[in-house]
Amino acid sequence: MTAAEAAPTAESAPAAAEDASVAPAPGATPPRTPLVARAAAELIGTALLVAIVVGSGIQATELTKDVGLQLLANSTATVFGLGVLILLLGPVSGAHFNPVVTLAEWWTARRGGPGVTPREVAVYLPAQIVGAIAGAILADAMFGEPLVKWSTHDRSAGHLLLGEVVATAGLVLLIFGLARANQLRFAPVAVASYIGAAYWFTSSTSFANPAVTIGRAFTDTFAGIAPSSLVGFIGMQLIGGVVGLALVALIFMPGRSAE
């Protein structure tokens, strides 16, 4: 490219300035996508995410009795599936697939910054929850399991709840830290990699997502969670979201100019 080609002309400069003025800031939901399309992306994305988690768990238990290999298969499928979903649907809805992420973005945008509005939150959250339930039912259907069977996998122990705080706080720190550092282009790889790692380093295997947690209660398979454990898990995830935002504010504190 020559210097002449690179330099904006007088006619193109206003257009470029106009495009820049409407371009989404890091962490913001794309502004020109209709809300119905964004809701559909959140519903379908969350449904596919849960189908990946539940389906790979069922497949793993059918292939081996080794719990370590089952978890390895489950986590590997989730890493690749989540990365693809973020890459595909991120430009449409921001690829939240997670009420904690949606609420955290709303909180950071409450003073006029980029992010979702209360109206968008009211649309995103039900879409994510419905999608998660549909994804669990879809996975069960693909493997010939009962379409809806409440999980009997109790996950109410205190150390598991602590694991959910850690997993969710780390996820929020990662996503919003990337946004503060203007590095969100790496989100598909970074978020998927973090979730894959958190499968192994957290005691809870990193649900870190209230919608996914609800969806996984509908399947009595490897990835399930008993309905009696939902309140504790979701409560800890919300606490983890608050902790994550506090860490973002602390670590990515705006610098001060030298006087």
Side-chain angles (χ1 to χ4, degrees):
M1 180 180 291
T2 66
E5 291 172 328
T9 64
E11 293 179 352
S12 65
E18 182 180 353
D19 289 343
S21 67
V22 298
T29 300
R32 293 182 176 176
T33 307
L35 183 56
V36 64
R38 282 178 273 155
E42 287 296 302
L43 189 152
I44 293 170
T46 311
L48 290 175
L49 174 58
V50 174
I52 290 166
V53 172
V54 174
S56 62
I58 297 172
Q59 183 79 285
T61 57
E62 292 182 353
L63 293 175
T64 179
K65 300 302 181 183
D66 187 315
V67 178
L69 290 178
Q70 292 171 357
L71 186 60
L72 178 61
N74 194 207
S75 60
T76 301
T78 302
V79 167
F80 287 114
L82 179 58
V84 168
L85 290 173
I86 295 173
L87 185 65
L88 175 66
L89 299 175
V92 180
S93 68
H96 296 185
F97 313 146
N98 188 334
V100 169
V101 174
T102 299
L103 290 171
E105 186 175 291
W106 163 75
W107 179 258
T108 61
R110 70 194 186 285
R111 294 181 178 176
V116 292
T117 64
R119 175 170 175 261
E120 290 166 332
V121 171
V123 173
Y124 270 39
L125 266 57
Q128 292 160 353
I129 294 170
V130 170
I133 296 171
I137 294 173
L138 175 62
D140 283 340
M142 288 192 292
F143 286 91
E145 299 286 339
L147 296 186
V148 175
K149 185 177 181 181
W150 298 116
S151 176
T152 56
H153 194 158
D154 179 75
R155 300 178 189 263
S156 59
H159 67 280
L160 300 181
L161 299 179
L162 176 60
E164 277 304 285
V165 175
V166 173
T168 312
L171 178 63
V172 170
L173 173 60
L174 172 62
I175 293 172
F176 291 88
L178 288 174
R180 291 284 184 95
N182 197 22
Q183 300 292 323
L184 271 179
R185 62 187 179 278
F186 298 114
V189 172
V191 173
S193 297
Y194 172 80
I195 292 298
Y199 257 86
W200 292 91
F201 80 78
T202 65
S203 56
S204 64
T205 66
S206 184
F207 285 47
N209 184 328
V212 168
T213 303
I214 293 171
R216 289 168 69 165
F218 283 73
T219 177
D220 192 21
T221 58
F222 179 79
I225 177 173
S228 60
S229 300
L230 288 182
V231 173
F233 256 53
I234 293 173
M236 294 303 104
Q237 290 159 359
L238 294 174
I239 291 173
V242 173
V243 172
L245 285 178
L247 291 174
V248 171
L250 175 64
I251 296 170
F252 295 92
M253 189 181 302
R256 296 181 179 179
S257 58
E259 296 182 3

